[in-house]
Amino acid sequence: MFDSLSDRLGGVFDKLRGRGALKEQDVLDAMREVRIALLEADVALPVVRRFIDQVTERAVGETVLRSVTPGQQVVKIVNDALIETLGGEDTPGLDLNAAPPIVIMMVGLQGSGKTTSTAKIAKLLKEKQGKKVMMASLDVNRPAAQEQLRVLGEQVSVATLPIIAGQQPTEIATRAMQAARLQAVDVLMLDTAGRLHVDQQLMDEMKAVAAISTPRETLLVVDSLTGQDAVNVAQSFAGQVDLTGVVLTRMDGDARGGAALSMRAVTGKPIKFAGTGEKMEALEVFHPSRVANRILG
Ligand code: GDP
């Protein structure tokens, strides 16, 4: 995760730290290199600009340059700016403060890792928070999508809504709500249909399901490997439904980090979870400070 970005930044900061006293020009030179590293990591240009401006302004101050360890200070400033860019220290977790059944609606494009993430989050809620969870697949477009969720449910020992062939997503959502109430489920996870592209039918279907289930959380699942495309997809969804957060998948294979670094700043939506592998336990609650630490090594 973030290996190439981490290597590039590591090189820049090793130089700074090795220097002892720093001049303004040294900081400016380092920032030029950081800028290139961020652009190569596929971070959105406005985010890169804001980041570099912010760090430069803070780092060329007299107190930094005159300190005994100016290189260290600059690294600290970069670390703080990374945390801010990633969403800040107080990035909210899942909001489960509502009367049960609390609905988490999962949305996203096909292949983003939506079904896998649904099961991973269900497992986490059950095992870490002791919640009674139920999952329902509303994906009637992709053959075997409902069956896939059922199999994952068995793997993580979470109940899934029995499949009734031929039902429409809104009918399934209504049935899921009834079942969740009857069975005193704490959290109901709705895995909505994905499409290959953002289209109006997908958006209308999501809105209809949201109207029936009034989700407390609407989480968009996007593939971090698609870089800035992931951010563009998030913007399209955010314009249509009330997204409460993002699940960034395939972070295990993302050496660049552009999607993670651009997401919050461009869409205003917090990344709540990171998918870090195919296994059901490969899910991390997203902590900006831990991620910043990882990037800076
Ligand atoms: P959906 O179409 O959005 O529901 O996507 P799926 O949940 O079926 O996932 C598609 C593929 O991506 C599956 O093979 C998953 O195992 C894989 N996948 C999902 N999340 C991750 C992740 O965080 N890391 C990796 N390496 N693979 C993932």
Side-chain angles (χ1 to χ4, degrees), residues 109-117 120 142 148 152 191 221 248-253 274-278 282:
L109 298 183
Q110 192 171 309
S112 58
K114 190 164 44 58
T115 305
T116 310
S117 302
K120 285 177 177 178
R142 186 162 64 91
Q148 183 193 351
L152 291 177
D191 183 16
V221 182
L248 209 50
T249 62
R250 301 206 180 87
M251 292 280 279
D252 46 310
T276 55
E278 298 203 31

Side-chain angles (χ1 to χ4, degrees), residues 14 32 48 94 116 153 181 184 195 221 237 239:
D14 282 349
R32 191 170 324 122
V48 175
L94 283 183
T116 310
R181 282 196 193 101
R195 300 269 152 72
V221 182
F237 273 84

